[in-house]
């Protein structure tokens, strides 16, 4: 009996504790979230029901998305655990979860059961209205229970298509090499060090938000630290909202380039659209002889502008005067400025002659020329110029210096001197010297025209890649030709690029120039570019347009001949 009582007491204690444990587990379970049995089939049915309502409103159907179902499930669990049912920014939550969304909506349905939640979703206008928003493309569902309630969360968003990064990079490289083949340039080869550097640049930009310039400097240091023997390294970096917006740098058609490292990544990058693409291209141009000559010897040469717009082969009198000033021969400069005045009758030449005399210490002559300038100014100068003349006359009469001591004034003078020197060296065919002079001028006065001149000097010197970079920067700073002079510069770029086989780049410049100066010569050159690129359909269209428009019988015959050749 004592033994049986002991066994009973032991078993009773165990049973008691087991019951307590079960009770505690049940209480705790009621206080925490549990996942519902929201199956894939149920999600598909909910999507179909939503699309049925959208169809009645003639709205595009929504696509069920696993990522959105995952974020909705996480949100449902958080709400069931006590988080606020309303959130301030659904898009921010999705982006933090790695979803590539540009717009987002979310709704939380709180009911007593799953079936009640499904009914409430479509019957309550507050929830059903979001399902019919025309700005969403994808949908996801999540459910959780807690504290005796069921929470159905619906995440809706306009998603950005995820891209296959390696496949996209391979397609872009294929386009690059196709473009190079059209100008008879060798295909670019992948290089391990360049590929690794391109990948690192993308990764650091996406994860740390480091600025582009800092990253470029870092990559350059890294490559030089590995004692690269690949020659000149060029780094191109860009971001785009979608793959269609990624543009291949013109530099990739540089005939001297031989190796490439390319990386394309997609992600939610700070200060960029969610799902943005980041692309880095690193090119290497070994110090070997590269054929940069034109491959279009079988084609007619491009036409010049109707007014013969070409760089002067000889320095003008004004340029000679500034060259004399630059080397310190102020007496000669004064004589040349006076010569320029006699030819053009422009008061500014008299003004510069007075200043040249002053630089040479000839105050009497300087005062005489400045008074003559003041007289000329009475009818043609601005009030500010008239006042400047009066102030300088007073200083010369007192024997004081007329030259400003302001830094900006000195910079302007230096910029003009180096610009004139660059023009002279360019006309003499001294391309490297001209490039140095234009670069010096740009440090004093960063004007877009100097960028254009540097690009042209690079092209003449055989630096095709550098020229393309400068031309692109010029167009970035001068996006629209605001005058005939700028349109002529675009035309000149096209001619020079055509002559070195850069037909794609030339076609872009001719197209821009034609939009502001619709001249026959520009259209003709554009047709030649399409011929060189073996784009016969477009070339035929342009030559046909030229033949139809021209009233010149010789030109009409020429265009007809070109059309016949293209139709063979």
């Amino acid at each position: 009996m004592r033994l049986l009582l002991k066994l009973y007491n032991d078993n009773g204690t165990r049973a008691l504790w087991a019951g307590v444990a079960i009770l505690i587990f049940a209480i705790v379970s009621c206080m925490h979230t549990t996942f519902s049995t929201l199956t894939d089939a149920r999600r598909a049915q909910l999507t179909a029901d939503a699309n049925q309502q959208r169809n009645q409103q003639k709205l595009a159907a929504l696509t069920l998305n696993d990522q959105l179902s995952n974020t909705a499930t996480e949100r449902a669990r958080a709400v069931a655990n006590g988080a606020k049912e309303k959130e301030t920014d659904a898009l921010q939550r999705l982006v933090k979860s790695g979803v590539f969304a540009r717009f987002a909506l979310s709704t939380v349905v709180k009911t007593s059961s799953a079936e009640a939640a499904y009914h409430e979703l479509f019957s309550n206008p507050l929830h059903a209205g979001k399902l019919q928003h025309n700005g969403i493309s994808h949908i996801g569902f999540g459910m959780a229970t807690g504290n005796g309630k069921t929470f159905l969360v619906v995440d809706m968003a306009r998603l950005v298509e995820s891209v296959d990064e390696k496949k996209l990079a391979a397609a872009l490289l294929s386009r690059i090499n196709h473009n190079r083949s059209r100008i008879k340039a060798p295909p670019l080869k992948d290089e391990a060090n360049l590929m690794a550097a391109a990948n690192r640049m993308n990764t650091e930009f996406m994860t740390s938000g480091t600025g582009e310039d800092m990253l470029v400097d870092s990559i350059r240091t890294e490559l030089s630290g590995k004692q690269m023997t690949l020659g000149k390294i060029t780094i191109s970096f860009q971001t785009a909202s979608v793959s269609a917006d990624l543009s291949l740098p013109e530099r990739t058609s540089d005939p001297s380039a031989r190796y490439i490292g390319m990386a394309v990544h997609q992600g939610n990058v700070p200060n960029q659209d969610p799902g943005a693409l980041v692309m880095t291209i690193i090119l290497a141009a070994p110090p070997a002889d590269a054929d940069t000559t034109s491959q279009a010897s079988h084609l007619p040469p491009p036409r010049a502008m109707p007014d013969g717009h070409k760089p002067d082969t000889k320095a003008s009198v004004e340029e000679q005067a500034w060259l004399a000033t630059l080397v310190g021969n102020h007496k000669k400069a004064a004589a040349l400025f006076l010569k320029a005045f006699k030819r053009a009758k422009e008061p500014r030449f008299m003004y510069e002659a007075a200043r040249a005399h002053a630089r040479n210490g000839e105050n009497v002559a300087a005062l005489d020329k400045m008074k003559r300038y003041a007289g000329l100014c009475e009818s043609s100068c601005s009030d500010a110029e008239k006042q400047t003349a009066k102030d300088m006359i007073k200083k010369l009469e007192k024997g004081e210096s007329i030259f400003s001591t302001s830094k900006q004034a000195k910079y302007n003078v230096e910029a003009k001197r180096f610009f004139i020197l660059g023009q002279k060296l360019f006309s003499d065919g001294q391309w490297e010297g001209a490039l140095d002079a234009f670069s010096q001028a740009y440090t004093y006065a960063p004007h877009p025209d100097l960028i254009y001149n540097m690009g042209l000097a690079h092209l003449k010197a055989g630096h095709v890649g550098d020229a393309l970079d400068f031309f692109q920067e010029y167009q970035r700073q001068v996006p629209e030709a605001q005058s005939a002079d700028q349109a002529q510069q675009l035309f000149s770029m096209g001619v020079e690029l055509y002559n070195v086989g850069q037909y794609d780049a030339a076609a872009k410049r001719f197209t821009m120039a034609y939009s502001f100066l619709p001249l026959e010569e520009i259209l003709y050159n554009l047709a030649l570019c399409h011929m060189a690129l073996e784009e016969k359909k477009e070339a035929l269209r342009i030559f046909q347009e030229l033949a139809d428009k021209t009233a010149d019988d010789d030109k009409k015959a020429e265009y007809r001949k070109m059309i016949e050749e293209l139709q063979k």
Side-chain angles (χ1 to χ4, degrees), residues 224-451:
S224 62
K226 291 183 178 180
Q227 297 182 341
M228 300 286 289
T229 58
L230 295 174
K232 183 176 180 179
I233 301 295
T234 303
I235 301 176
S236 171
F237 175 84
Q238 64 177 282
T239 60
S241 296
V242 293
S243 58
D245 291 340
L246 287 175
S247 59
L248 295 176
E250 288 185 335
R251 163 75 82 151
T252 55
S253 63
D254 180 2
S256 66
R258 289 293 183 270
Y259 301 100
I260 188 172
M262 175 189 288
V264 179
H265 290 86
Q266 185 179 30
N268 293 333
V269 186
N271 302 319
Q272 302 289 332
D273 288 333
L277 293 161
V278 180
M279 180 175 74
T280 296
I281 295 177
I282 306 179
L283 300 172
D289 293 334
D291 181 13
T292 60
T293 59
S294 171
Q295 302 295 330
S297 57
H298 63 288
L299 295 171
R303 290 180 179 175
M305 293 289 274
D307 60 356
H309 178 74
K310 293 181 180 178
D312 292 332
T313 57
K314 184 178 180 180
S316 66
V317 175
E318 181 187 4
E319 290 172 344
Q320 294 176 47
W322 279 106
L323 283 170
T325 302
L326 183 63
V327 299
N329 191 343
H330 303 303
K331 187 171 185 177
K332 180 179 179 181
L336 288 168
F337 280 125
L338 286 173
K339 184 177 180 180
F341 172 76
K342 291 178 180 179
R343 290 185 177 183
K345 301 300 181 184
E346 293 185 24
R348 65 185 180 90
F349 292 134
M350 187 62 69
Y351 172 78
E352 294 298 347
R355 288 165 61 86
H357 280 303
R359 290 190 186 96
N360 204 42
E362 300 169 337
N363 283 2
V364 175
L367 180 58
D368 175 62
K369 302 302 186 295
M370 192 60 71
K371 287 181 177 179
R372 291 176 62 184
Y373 168 70
L376 294 167
C377 262
E378 287 300 323
S379 59
S380 60
C381 296
S382 66
D383 290 339
E385 290 170 330
K386 292 176 184 178
Q387 187 59 48
T388 297
K390 291 178 181 179
D391 293 341
M392 290 194 171
I393 289 172
K394 289 180 180 179
K395 288 182 178 181
L396 288 169
E397 288 176 339
K398 293 178 181 180
E400 297 176 358
S401 173
I402 63 172
F403 299 104
S404 172
T405 57
S406 73
K407 183 180 291 187
Q408 189 58 52
K410 291 180 179 179
Y411 278 6
N412 289 340
V413 171
E414 292 300 318
K416 191 164 187 177
R417 289 177 181 176
F418 279 110
F419 175 77
I420 297 300
L421 176 61
Q423 293 282 66
K424 175 63 169 61
L425 292 170
F426 187 94
S427 65
D428 290 343
Q430 299 182 42
W431 317 123
E432 298 289 354
L435 180 60
D436 289 340
F438 290 140
S439 299
Q440 287 288 341
Y442 190 78
T443 61
Y444 288 110
H447 193 277
D449 283 349
L450 288 167
I451 296 175

Side-chain angles (χ1 to χ4, degrees), residues 48-276:
D49 292 342
N51 283 332
Q52 184 176 4
Q53 290 192 356
R54 290 176 65 86
N55 183 54
Q56 294 173 0
Q57 302 296 324
K58 301 187 183 309
L59 296 172
L62 300 176
T63 301
L64 182 63
N65 180 265
D66 289 340
Q67 272 190 304
L68 293 180
S69 290
N70 290 336
T71 59
T73 299
E74 291 174 3
R75 176 66 178 157
R77 188 174 186 181
V79 171
N81 272 330
K84 292 181 180 179
E85 294 179 24
K86 293 183 179 180
E87 60 183 352
T88 57
D89 194 340
L91 179 60
Q92 185 178 17
R93 171 170 60 85
L94 296 182
V95 169
K96 283 184 177 180
S97 298
V99 178
F100 299 158
R102 300 285 169 82
F103 173 79
L105 292 172
S106 184
T107 193
V108 178
V109 183
K110 178 182 176 182
T111 57
S112 58
S113 67
E115 291 301 326
Y118 305 149
H119 178 268
E120 178 77 6
L121 175 63
F122 295 104
S123 62
N124 187 325
L126 293 176
H127 304 310
K130 292 184 178 180
L131 295 175
Q132 297 180 35
H133 196 287
N134 62 4
I136 57 177
S137 60
H138 293 74
I139 194 168
F141 303 90
M143 184 177 286
T145 59
N147 296 319
K149 294 291 183 180
T150 296
F151 297 88
L152 172 65
V153 174
V154 186
D155 279 346
M156 299 152 278
R158 184 174 73 250
L159 299 185
V160 179
E161 182 182 0
S162 297
V163 302
D164 185 324
E165 298 167 346
K166 291 184 178 180
K167 186 175 180 180
L168 176 58
L172 291 171
L173 180 59
S174 177
R175 278 176 52 195
I176 289 172
N177 283 328
H178 173 68
N179 291 341
R180 291 175 66 85
S181 70
R182 296 192 300 182
I183 60 172
K184 306 300 187 292
L188 294 172
K189 299 179 181 178
D190 287 338
E191 203 284 326
N193 289 294
L194 301 183
M195 290 290 289
N199 276 290
R200 186 171 78 81
M201 183 161 177
N202 280 4
T203 301
E204 288 198 12
F205 177 79
M206 296 176 70
T207 57
S208 66
T210 305
E212 175 186 343
D213 293 339
M214 291 181 63
L215 283 173
V216 169
D217 291 341
S218 174
I219 293 299
R220 289 189 189 280
T221 302
E222 174 188 319
L223 294 177
S224 62
K226 291 183 178 180
Q227 297 182 341
M228 300 286 289
T229 58
L230 295 174
K232 183 176 180 179
I233 301 295
T234 303
I235 301 176
S236 171
F237 175 84
Q238 64 177 282
T239 60
S241 296
V242 293
S243 58
D245 291 340
L246 287 175
S247 59
L248 295 176
E250 288 185 335
R251 163 75 82 151
T252 55
S253 63
D254 180 2
S256 66
R258 289 293 183 270
Y259 301 100
I260 188 172
M262 175 189 288
V264 179
H265 290 86
Q266 185 179 30
N268 293 333
V269 186
N271 302 319
Q272 302 289 332
D273 288 333

